[in-house]
Amino acid sequence: MIITADPGQDVTLTCRAPNNNIMIVEWSRADLRHEHVFVYRGGQFVPEEQHPSFKNRVDLQDRQMKDGDVSVILKNVTAADSGTYECRVQRDGYSSMQLMDIITLSVAPPPGPGPGTTEGGVSRGRPGLIASHFLCFLLLAL
């Protein structure tokens, strides 16, 4: 799944496990190495394993994880949040984590001014163009 967002938006990264016997939930991004986007283990969130850039910005969409819903909400996204996210779950009776979903998030940079304009939309002009207009004016004046 691919999600596109604007900076400042809250984004839901959706993921479902097959049943409610969920022991561990891990959301990760490959470039974070050993730290995670979000970890839930033993009935609670584990902040020690979370990458600092995600502190206080990620939470389960449904803390009860009804119907296996282990989706998370990522708040106030920035371009730095762009990347590929993986949702893994360990269910009761299983000895390892299982990959449930992969989501690519693309956060567009904020719109900037177009060529030849400033942030207020005023034309900056082009030095070469201005100089050529000035030369034409001088020649006509002579």
Side-chain angles (χ1 to χ4, degrees):
M1 175 189 298
I2 298 173
I3 297 174
T4 303
D6 292 324
Q9 283 186 318
D10 293 352
V11 174
T12 300
L13 305 176
T14 57
C15 184
R16 286 202 182 274
N19 62 35
N20 287 337
N21 299 325
I22 299 166
M23 306 299 292
I24 302 171
V25 176
E26 289 182 353
W27 276 92
S28 60
R29 209 172 72 189
D31 60 326
L32 299 180
R33 304 207 176 163
H34 301 294
E35 292 177 298
H36 295 87
V37 174
F38 180 86
V39 177
Y40 174 92
R41 183 182 303 123
Q44 60 188 5
F45 166 59
V46 185
E48 302 82 45
E49 295 184 30
Q50 187 177 42
H51 188 274
S53 68
F54 293 99
K55 297 273 187 213
N56 302 313
R57 295 196 311 125
V58 185
D59 201 1
L60 281 169
Q61 178 173 286
D62 177 4
R63 290 182 185 223
Q64 266 64 86
M65 297 182 285
K66 288 185 198 94
D67 300 320
D69 185 1
V70 293
S71 304
V72 292
I73 299 170
L74 178 55
K75 300 172 188 163
N76 193 25
V77 296
T78 68
D81 293 321
S82 294
T84 301
Y85 292 78
E86 295 181 351
C87 169
R88 285 186 167 77
V89 170
Q90 182 176 340
R91 296 178 292 150
D92 191 20
Y94 289 81
S95 59
S96 63
M97 301 294 288
Q98 295 176 299
L99 179 63
M100 294 290 134
D101 212 338
I102 297 173
I103 297 174
T104 300
L105 174 62
S106 176
V107 181
T117 60
T118 63
E119 298 234 357
V122 178
S123 176
R124 290 183 299 201
R126 292 190 171 88
L129 188 61
I130 293 170
S132 66
H133 284 206
F134 182 70
L135 277 173
C136 286
F137 175 75
L138 281 177
L139 287 174
L140 289 175
L142 294 175

